[in-house]
Amino acid sequence: MFLAVLIFLFAACWFTAATFAHFLGGPSILIQALTMVVPVAFVAVVFTSRRHQHGALSAAAKVSSLAMGYINFAFLAAIACWPVVGLGSALNLAVAPATLAWSLLGLSALVATYGVINGARVHVTRYTIPLPNLPDAWDGREVAVVSDVHVGIIRGPAFVQRVVRRLQALNPTAVFIPGDLFDGPEVDIAQSVAPLAQLTPPAGTYFVTGNHDEFRDPLPYLAALTRVGVRVLHNESVQVRGLQIIGLHDAESDSPETFRRHLAAFGIDRARPSVLLAHRPSHMEIADAAGVSLQLSGHTHAGQFPVWTWIVNKIYGRFAYGLNRVGDLQIVTSSGVGSGGPPLRVGTRSEIVLLRLECAAAAPVPREAKAA
């Protein structure tokens, strides 16, 4: 998957450069060379940051990631150039290729700028979740889901502090972090998680790893989170005020067989509600069959911006974002509060998800009765 993404990035940059060199009449080789510097720099910074931490690396990451974000929209503009010019020629319309190219490049810059501004804003998305047999201690309470913070060389402790302040204002009963708190690069772990010590929800804060948390040894991350009061769920189920809270790390939930085996081992009580933290919105049929009531996931970022929104929707379908259902299981997929790669969003938004839990009017028909 990573190799496929790299190939796509370099191919898109080459196509963008070649298209605008053609329509603008510039030196093709020079434009292509300058354009290809961006993905090379971006990839180099990403790999270097996995082993080293430096202010210059952080600055280079921000510049190269923003440039990649702009090229994404320039790529869409380059695609649009060809049919527009072709249609104009077919209809004998006077379409100046250079004017069209400059106009679409300018529009790309405006859209990318909007994406940076939009991506910096943190929204609150609210859902009401009815759960059968919900204990009184949770009925009418609100819980927060904070996925995909991606602390790294682009977003650091200041961003974590900002998220914590927002959570304090919301005052949830519990906070659930279903993975990708960290992005993978070398960071000061203690400084990064320090703001989380200010989170004191009555029923606790819970965490499982995502794929980015596992790019390197996650144990230092998990130890630091434990020290600041976050309950790390090590592929386990805990009982909190009558609610079953289950957590599976990403490495243990990626495989359907492993996922099924873990859920079976927990002995989930179908007569009581349960909440599963699993980073990816996958294997929902397995979770439903195991008797899970509510699954909380992230990972997709809802695609952040086109073209990636289309790719993510193709992979995850309706589970790419929002509240969905499979059988008796409800699934909430957050678009995440942070960002991966370019820190911008177009057509999506950064969010904290706030769930109001309510006792369902009636319990669902038992699975055995349905089969009969």
Side-chain angles (χ1 to χ4, degrees), residues 15-31:
F15 173 80
T16 302
T19 294
F20 287 109
H22 174 80
F23 285 110
L24 297 177
S28 178
I29 294 178
L30 178 60
I31 292 178

Side-chain angles (χ1 to χ4, degrees), residues 22 43 45 48 84 123 140 184 191 201 204 211 213 227 246 273 304 325 338 364 368:
H22 174 80
V43 172
V45 168
T48 305
V84 172
H123 301 261
Q191 184 183 22
N211 59 310
D213 300 310
R227 285 194 293 270
I246 306 161
Q304 283 192 208
R325 179 183 287 272
E368 295 77 11

Side-chain angles (χ1 to χ4, degrees), residues 29-264:
I29 294 178
L30 178 60
I31 292 178
Q32 290 177 14
L34 291 174
T35 303
M36 296 305 288
V37 165
V38 176
V40 170
F42 178 71
V43 172
V45 168
V46 168
F47 278 101
T48 305
S49 66
R50 299 288 169 84
R51 295 181 176 273
H52 304 282
Q53 181 183 5
H54 194 278
L57 266 179
S58 179
K62 291 174 183 176
V63 171
S64 62
S65 65
L66 287 172
M68 283 300 303
Y70 170 72
I71 287 179
N72 177 89
F73 294 105
F75 169 63
L76 296 177
I79 293 175
C81 280
W82 295 98
V84 172
V85 171
L87 183 62
S89 177
L91 298 177
N92 293 319
L93 299 176
V95 178
T99 301
L100 173 66
W102 280 120
S103 299
L104 289 176
L105 277 174
L107 180 61
S108 299
L110 289 175
V111 173
T113 301
Y114 160 78
V116 172
I117 296 171
N118 183 50
R121 299 179 60 196
V122 176
H123 301 261
V124 177
T125 303
R126 301 172 184 267
Y127 300 105
T128 297
I129 307 293
L131 294 174
N133 305 318
L134 185 69
D136 291 342
W138 293 94
D139 190 15
R141 306 293 184 180
E142 292 182 322
V143 300
V145 183
V146 186
S147 75
D148 300 277
V149 182
H150 286 277
V151 178
I153 52 178
I154 293 178
R155 299 189 187 275
F159 182 69
V160 179
Q161 181 66 69
R162 182 180 160 207
V163 172
V164 167
R165 289 199 188 101
R166 195 69 179 273
L167 287 168
Q168 288 173 322
L170 293 171
N171 193 30
T173 296
V175 175
F176 299 115
I177 309 174
D180 279 4
L181 177 59
F182 293 91
D183 197 38
E186 183 74 26
V187 295
D188 185 325
I189 299 174
Q191 184 183 22
S192 298
V193 303
L196 296 175
Q198 303 166 29
L199 276 182
T200 56
T205 300
Y206 303 87
F207 173 80
V208 295
T209 60
N211 59 310
H212 279 253
D213 300 310
E214 297 175 354
F215 281 170
R216 56 195 307 124
D217 180 8
L219 292 180
Y221 297 150
L222 304 184
L225 286 169
T226 300
R227 285 194 293 270
V228 296
V230 175
R231 178 68 159 88
V232 178
L233 297 173
H234 294 284
N235 307 316
E236 60 184 314
S237 175
V238 296
Q239 309 291 325
V240 181
R241 301 182 179 184
L243 181 66
Q244 302 170 94
I245 301 177
I246 306 161
L248 285 176
H249 292 314
D250 189 62
E252 301 299 321
S253 59
D254 188 30
S255 162
E257 294 76 15
T258 305
F259 190 64
R260 182 181 291 106
R261 186 174 65 251
H262 276 299
L263 292 181

